[in-house]
Amino acid sequence: MARRTNSSPTGGSPGPRNRTPQPLPRRRRTFGDFVKAFGAFVALLVLLVGVPGALVVEVGWPLPHGAPSLDWLQQEITVGTFVHVLTVLVWFAWAQFTACVLVEMKAALSGVGLPNRVPGAGPSQLLARQLVAALLLVGAAAASFAPGLSQLGQGPEGDRHGSVVAAARQTPGGLIGQQQEQAAADAAAAVAEQADAAASRAASRPDGGASARHGDTKYYRIQPPEGRHHDSLWEIAQRHLGDGRRYKEIYELNKDRTQPDGSKLSEASLIRPGWIMEMPGDAHGGELVEMPDAKPGIPEQVQQQIHDYARTGDHRQADGEQGGGAGRQSDRNDQVDRDTGHFRVPQQRVGGDHGQEHEHAPSGEVSADPRHGQGAHTASDGSGFGLPEALVGAPLLAAGLLGALGRRRRQALWQSALGAVGGRRGTEPPVPTGSAADAQDALLVGADPEGVRLLDLSLRGLAASLAAESRPLPTVYAAWLGGDGDLHLQLAQPAGKPPAPWQLGQDQTFWMLARADAERYEEADTAAPYPGLVSLGTMDDSRLLLNLEAVPGIVSLSGSAADRAGVLASVAAELATNGWSDRMTITLVGFGEGLTPLAPNRLRHLDDVEALVETLEAETRQRRGALGAAGHDSVLTGRTGPAQHTRWAPHLVLLATEPSSADALRLAELASDAARLGIGCLVGTESGELPGAAWEMEITGEGKLLAPLLGLELDAQTLPAAQQRAVVELFVEADPEGGPDGPNDPPPFLVDISEQGRPAVYARLVGSYEIIGLETPEGERSPLLHEALALLLLHREGVHPRVLSSALWPRGVTDDVRDALVERLRGWLGDDPDGTSRLGTDATGRLTLAKSVVSDLDVLRSLYHEATQGKGVDSRVVRGRLLTDALVLVRGPLLADRPEGRYGWLTHEIIDARLPLLVADIGLALSAFHLEKGRAEKAIEALNASMNSAPTDERLWNELLRATHATGDEDEVKRLAADLVARSGARGLPPRTEALLDELLPTWRSGAAAVS
């Protein structure tokens, strides 16, 4: 387990705390270690060999030599009987302890997962673990008891030295280090020891050999594994350069140079014992040596390998010196800064989808694709219009939150409409203000709903294809969304050839799906296969999603409390609202009480770690039993079976309170089988050391998510406290249970509906799009100007410039292009008679329209408001006229003839739900107006007109039944009843409609039976 230190590496005055993991120098074996190991060996020898030997010699065979009979029950019980019974018990105890030793030894040597639990062997297994650990303390074969990501990205044995490393540069294989195997480590260690001895002798030569050629250049040999520790470039840089981040310099100095075993360094995370590393000139420390020259006693083969490696260094140095030493070092540093070391993110595919990026951009206007990179619309970051970048830069999280918010608002609208008795509740949700408005704008700018849709389709399509081939789902540790839209799945182990259109990636542990192939997927009726995927951050233009459900144990997260809280909140919010999951339980401990409104059905809170442990113990037992009863190996096989939608939803635990050592070990024990059971744990820790943690990460104050031993260095995705509050405020305001029970609130923009209030610019949006009062602009920019005006008309409260650019250019656009369009729009709209521009900017920087620019939707809202809460309340004649005028304005759905491929921002709006409800309210009010005077035919005419825009509104159908019944035409009532039954299908009629039919037409059920 990596440790941290705050000390200055150079011995100077203490500086700011280094937030990157800083492993301490590896512990050398001491005489006490050998004594402990010898004692453990003797104890194991006595317990495993001495105990059974003593039983055989002293007691012999304790069981009867013949078949049991009834005479045994009549025999006298003697001391010998007790001895034999005790002997059997001792044999059982010995067998159990032997099993514990074998389990612990296997786990220690393999380094794969925590040891399995031997049933009923708590103390025995603990003793076996301590003895095995003490015995292996001085050996080089003991691997870590807690797994890392070291084996991610590894292919078959024969593939590790070639295709895996070479192809890694084209896909995001960096999450991956390589765990050295024991046999190779031992062989390489022998060569390394000889090289070290040769280096010591060469250092004393006055003429220097290689030293003379290299001056003060230092070299380091990769150490063999010791106990649980494996050498890494990060730790080498930390010890000898004072900063682990400088591992890239070591990597660049040695990349692609032939090593003593014949292989080459192609990835910074793939190093082996016995390799030699050239170090930067300022390297320091006792383990560094100069390049050795030939000396007696060194095998000729070893000498040749060392000098071959030195010559590759001479060649590289000579080439650089031709251009000047300073220039060579500068170029090298530039290359180091650009290199990602552990990660090889996907390269952009030739002939991909990039040609579509300019789809909506006028000629001469260049757009950028921000959706899968650091954040949406990064070109606009310097615009001066501040939006929460944590939300702008999280496209999947923003899409999930925006989709959940839209569903919440639609639910509120329908509940308001269907629950209206007497006074009507408002169909207009409150307009966000302040930080909530900024948060909503950031969600609109950052959201990538298309990316979420394709991710969901791709994963479900993969599950359906594998199920059709009777193949199990592979365990996926991570997914990468590349800047070109391609999806890369990183498997825990090779799983064969993926089903078409998926392809193998860089090796057998990567499956890749091109964006173009994902777009051809259709909806699949299958469970979400990997609901535990959650965004952690970005690297270059690729986004990493870690599958928390598949982690083989606990993931620890260190850093300051505020930084950890930001990461945990982001993970919780995305898991609660993402679009690639079905059902799941997210347990929050020690934080996040205010996040519940995001998804009350998914999020739950526990008080403390003790309650969490108790819950996990019960759920672990339950899931193991359910898997065994169903005959499944893991939840992944269960998700492709008959119970796919019921039993196998994941349980993801986010723990902000650092547990005690005992609780941490208990959690680690429970999580040892979590990947198979569908349970994931992310635990925050202040100290950075969590006993039993499988993977370790750290969030820095600069927003970096680091896990050097895993090869991670990401720009972290976080949700700071201020953004949490703003997002939660949006959801609380949209709560359908929290709205007013009284009459409608006035619309945000009321129009002067008198003859004197004739607008200068009038846009018809309800139906086909028409503009009165302006000349149609010529050229290819006309559609953009029309779309921008429609967006502003639907948001009279104002539109943030970045929201405008995000809506018009979903793939991104530069600031100058956006600003040029705004100026064209301002010029097209013109000025009012007083010289004021009809397109202005408010105090928050949002673009607003003058009152002289009006749409028919504004007039529709104003007419209905005036009829029900204004002059129409006191005058029946005025009310009827206003409602009739309002219904005449309804010519069809909103923007009925909008061109294909544009107005995609309407998917974020709830106007598609608000407009039908408003039209239904107008029709119901006008119908009631006519029925008051017994004009049933006029009421039916108003209701039918409303149904053209709101055909599924239950209230309209019920009122139509009443109006038709008032005409006395029973045959027409029967026809309507039959039509309603046919429309309802298998779902059946709503309870209110059934009750109304029972009242108006008691025989309707017999007719419905005949229809069905």
Side-chain angles (χ1 to χ4, degrees), residues 215-452:
D216 60 354
T217 303
K218 301 291 194 302
Y219 295 86
Y220 175 85
R221 64 177 179 83
I222 305 300
Q223 299 297 314
E226 179 179 338
R228 298 185 180 187
H229 180 82
H230 292 261
D231 219 346
S232 69
L233 292 187
W234 180 285
E235 295 183 357
I236 296 169
Q238 183 63 47
R239 290 195 303 271
H240 300 295
L241 300 177
D243 185 359
R245 295 172 184 261
R246 294 184 64 187
Y247 74 87
K248 299 177 183 179
E249 299 179 36
I250 305 176
Y251 171 71
E252 286 300 325
L253 286 170
N254 298 274
K255 182 174 64 174
D256 297 329
R257 294 172 63 179
T258 303
Q259 292 290 340
D261 61 359
S263 56
K264 296 181 179 181
L265 174 66
S266 295
E267 283 201 68
S269 56
L270 302 179
I271 60 175
R272 300 191 183 121
W275 281 8
I276 297 172
M277 297 286 117
E278 180 182 344
M279 301 291 289
D282 60 339
H284 57 275
E287 295 174 324
L288 300 177
V289 297
E290 295 178 354
M291 183 58 67
D293 202 351
K295 278 290 183 179
I298 301 178
E300 182 178 353
Q301 181 181 5
V302 175
Q303 294 182 20
Q304 187 61 43
Q305 290 173 345
I306 295 173
H307 284 288
D308 287 345
Y309 187 80
R311 282 196 294 272
T312 62
D314 293 339
H315 176 71
R316 288 160 60 96
Q317 240 180 4
D319 291 345
E321 285 169 356
Q322 292 176 4
R328 175 181 61 86
Q329 185 64 35
S330 175
D331 294 343
R332 176 175 295 167
N333 288 339
D334 291 342
Q335 189 174 7
V336 169
D337 291 339
R338 293 192 301 268
D339 186 64
T340 58
H342 289 62
F343 283 83
R344 297 297 182 191
V345 296
Q347 295 180 352
Q348 301 293 330
R349 292 180 295 108
V350 178
D353 301 331
H354 308 320
Q356 301 175 4
E357 293 182 3
H358 306 281
E359 180 180 7
H360 300 323
S363 93
E365 298 176 356
V366 181
S367 62
D369 187 354
R371 289 296 182 189
H372 301 285
Q374 303 290 354
H377 299 270
T378 52
S380 300
D381 287 348
S383 64
F385 299 102
L387 288 180
E389 295 300 327
L391 296 173
V392 173
L396 304 185
L397 170 61
L401 289 171
L402 202 58
L405 182 60
R407 292 190 295 271
R408 183 70 55 84
R409 285 173 172 171
R410 285 176 172 84
Q411 182 184 8
L413 287 174
W414 284 108
Q415 289 191 13
S416 297
L418 297 178
V421 177
R424 299 184 182 278
R425 296 175 62 183
T427 59
E428 297 288 340
V431 177
T433 58
S435 60
D438 289 340
Q440 178 173 272
D441 286 343
L443 293 177
L444 291 168
V445 171
D448 183 16
E450 181 66 11
V452 171

Side-chain angles (χ1 to χ4, degrees), residues 568-831:
L568 291 172
S570 171
V571 170
E574 185 169 299
L575 289 174
T577 61
N578 71 48
W580 55 88
S581 302
D582 293 323
R583 297 184 309 110
M584 69 170 61
T585 300
I586 307 163
T587 298
L588 309 181
V589 184
F591 82 107
E593 289 80 2
L595 296 175
T596 303
L598 302 184
N601 295 330
R602 285 192 180 185
L603 292 169
R604 71 174 180 181
H605 301 269
L606 293 179
D607 295 333
D608 50 34
V609 180
E610 182 179 353
L612 174 63
V613 171
E614 182 179 349
T615 300
L616 288 182
E617 285 179 340
E619 186 163 2
T620 298
R621 288 194 301 268
Q622 179 184 6
R623 293 201 175 208
R624 282 175 178 156
L627 283 175
H632 296 310
D633 297 330
S634 71
V635 296
L636 291 180
T637 55
R639 283 182 187 147
T640 57
Q644 56 179 321
H645 292 291
T646 56
R647 293 184 182 177
W648 313 119
H651 180 190
L652 303 174
V653 176
L654 306 178
L655 174 60
T657 304
E658 182 172 3
S660 64
S661 297
D663 288 335
L665 290 174
R666 184 63 181 139
L667 284 174
E669 186 177 4
L670 290 171
S672 62
D673 201 21
R676 187 175 71 90
L677 302 178
I679 301 175
C681 294
L682 177 60
V683 181
T685 170
E686 183 72 30
S687 63
E689 298 180 3
L690 188 68
W695 298 348
E696 295 180 332
M697 300 186 297
E698 180 183 14
I699 176 66
T700 71
E702 294 75 30
K704 294 289 185 179
L705 188 66
L706 306 176
L709 299 182
L710 310 180
L712 286 175
E713 186 175 351
L714 303 171
D715 292 319
Q717 177 175 300
T718 64
L719 188 59
Q723 279 71 64
Q724 292 178 43
R725 292 190 295 269
V727 169
V728 170
E729 182 180 344
L730 291 172
F731 279 79
V732 171
E733 290 179 348
D735 186 359
E737 303 298 329
D741 293 324
N744 280 338
D745 293 330
F749 178 68
L750 288 174
V751 177
D752 182 0
I753 57 176
S754 66
E755 192 64 29
Q756 293 75 25
R758 184 178 298 274
V761 177
Y762 182 67
R764 304 177 72 183
L765 305 179
V766 184
S768 58
Y769 191 4
E770 301 175 8
I771 298 179
I772 301 172
L774 291 177
E775 295 291 336
T776 302
E778 298 180 357
E780 57 187 4
R781 294 188 179 90
S782 178
L784 278 173
L785 293 173
H786 279 76
E787 188 174 354
L789 179 57
L791 178 63
L792 290 167
L793 286 168
L794 292 178
H795 290 276
R796 303 301 305 224
E797 72 277 9
V799 176
H800 196 289
R802 294 183 67 180
V803 175
L804 179 67
S805 62
S806 173
L808 300 182
W809 294 281
R811 293 182 178 272
V813 73
T814 57
D815 290 350
D816 56 341
V817 172
R818 179 201 64 208
D819 295 341
L821 178 75
V822 171
E823 290 305 315
R824 293 189 189 100
L825 180 60
R826 183 174 284 114
W828 180 42
L829 292 175
D831 299 334

